[in-house]
């Protein structure tokens, strides 16, 4: 006994086939939607990574530009300060400052360091002018956020790197010049406190001739030396 007539059975078979096809199409569509969604998600994730990388690049670029601007400003300020010191050196020569005679004698001595008894001449100069001698003990020291090298007195004239001439009738005020016995080199420039104490034309290597255009001004209080105004030197 047949459950359905042949015609109905045929219709049912066709209907089942159609439903199967529709189901397969639905499954395929859903799968394609899922795949598409994953691709979109992956694209979004990649875009987010690219955006993050771009943000980092922009941040680095801003930092670099800021550093370059700061360096350029510092260089410009240093040049202005050096020019101001040069002008003061010229003015001091014209006005014949109280230390002018001392500086002239010092430069004559500094120009004679190639003679056999240079050290004896320096010792005599220090004693005659009653100079105080000292060295830089910490070139990187800071005070109130600014470079402020620290100095300490020494007894050995040959060991000293700075000579201080007491300004008459000005307690605690000194005119300071480099010890001409020492060749001017990178270590003295960077670690000996010279670049903070004097504006100079030094670039590299070792120089043995020194001329002070403008002596540095120091103040000594309670045994502590402090730069009041840098000087100007020319070396070769």
């Amino acid at each position: 006994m047949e459950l359905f007539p042949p015609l109905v059975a045929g219709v049912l078979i066709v209907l089942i086939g159609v439903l199967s096809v529709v189901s397969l199409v639905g499954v395929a569509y859903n799968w394609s939607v899922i795949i598409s969604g994953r691709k979109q998600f992956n694209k979004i994730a990649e875009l987010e990574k690219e955006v993050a990388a771009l943000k980092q690049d922009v941040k680095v670029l801003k930092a670099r530009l800021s550093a370059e601007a700061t360096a350029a400003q510092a260089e410009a300020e240093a040049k202005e300060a050096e020019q101001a010191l040069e002008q003061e050196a010229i003015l001091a020569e014209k006005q014949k400052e109280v230390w002018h005679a001392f500086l002239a004698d010092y430069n004559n001595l500094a120009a004679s360091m190639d003679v056999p008894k240079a050290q004896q001449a320096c010792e005599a100069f220090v004693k005659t002018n009653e100079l105080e001698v000292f060295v830089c003990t910490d070139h990187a020291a800071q005070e109130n956020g600014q470079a402020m090298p620290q100095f300490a007195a020494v007894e050995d004239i040959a060991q000293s790197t700075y000579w201080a001439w007491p300004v008459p009738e000005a307690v605690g005020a000194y005119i300071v010049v480099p010890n001409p016995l020492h060749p001017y080199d990178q270590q003295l420039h960077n670690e000996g406190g010279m670049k903070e104490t004097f504006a100079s034309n030094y670039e590299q290597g070792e120089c043995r001739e020194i001329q002070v255009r403008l002596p540095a001004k120091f103040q000594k209080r309670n045994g502590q030396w402090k730069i009041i105004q840098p000087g100007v030197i020319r070396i070769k």
Side-chain angles (χ1 to χ4, degrees):
M1 180 178 178
E2 295 181 354
L3 185 60
F4 298 103
L7 180 60
V8 175
V11 171
L12 288 175
I13 291 172
V14 171
L15 182 60
I16 291 171
V18 171
L19 290 175
S20 298
V21 171
V22 171
S23 297
L24 289 173
V25 170
V27 170
Y29 175 76
N30 289 334
W31 181 252
S32 67
V33 169
I34 292 172
I35 296 299
S36 177
R38 287 181 179 177
K39 289 182 178 179
Q40 292 294 332
F41 178 79
N42 291 336
K43 287 182 178 179
I44 292 172
E46 290 176 0
L47 286 173
E48 288 178 346
K49 288 182 180 179
E50 291 178 1
V51 170
L54 286 173
K55 286 183 177 179
Q56 182 63 27
D57 290 342
V58 169
K59 185 178 180 180
V60 171
L61 181 59
K62 285 183 177 180
R64 184 183 303 168
L65 291 175
S66 177
E68 290 177 354
T70 301
Q73 182 179 358
E75 184 177 355
E77 290 176 353
K79 286 183 178 179
E80 289 180 3
E82 185 172 349
Q83 290 174 355
L85 288 172
E86 285 282 3
Q87 291 299 320
E88 184 162 346
I90 295 172
L91 183 62
E93 290 177 359
K94 292 180 179 179
Q95 292 180 342
K96 302 295 182 184
E97 294 279 0
V98 65
W99 41 260
H100 188 270
F102 162 76
L103 185 61
D105 291 342
Y106 167 83
N107 281 328
N108 287 333
L109 174 70
S112 306
M113 290 296 99
D114 56 348
V115 299
K117 296 184 178 181
Q119 183 168 340
Q120 291 90 325
C122 286
E123 291 175 353
F125 184 83
V126 168
K127 291 178 181 178
T128 300
N129 290 278
E130 299 181 346
L131 305 183
E132 296 189 37
V133 298
F134 57 93
V135 296
C136 177
T137 56
D138 186 359
H139 72 283
Q142 293 193 350
E143 183 176 311
N144 298 325
Q146 295 183 343
M148 191 62 65
Q150 293 182 355
F151 304 90
V154 293
E155 295 183 1
D156 187 359
I157 295 174
Q159 180 186 355
S160 67
T161 47
Y162 297 90
W163 294 353
W165 181 74
V167 179
E169 300 180 3
V171 178
Y174 289 81
I175 292 302
V176 174
V177 294
N179 181 347
L181 282 170
H182 296 291
Y184 198 105
D185 57 16
Q186 196 76 41
Q187 183 175 2
L188 186 62
H189 182 72
N190 290 330
E191 300 177 16
M194 285 292 174
K195 68 178 180 180
E196 290 83 13
T197 307
F198 297 98
S200 73
N201 60 329
Y202 179 76
E203 293 181 356
Q204 62 181 358
E206 182 178 280
C207 304
R208 292 188 173 274
E209 294 184 31
I210 184 169
Q211 180 190 42
V212 175
R213 294 285 310 284
L214 180 70
K217 295 180 181 179
F218 272 61
Q219 182 181 57
K220 182 184 179 184
R221 181 177 296 175
N222 298 325
Q224 300 296 317
W225 294 94
K226 182 178 181 180
I227 302 173
I228 301 302
Q229 178 182 292
V232 178
I233 59 176
R234 287 293 172 263
I235 51 182
K236 60 181 180 177

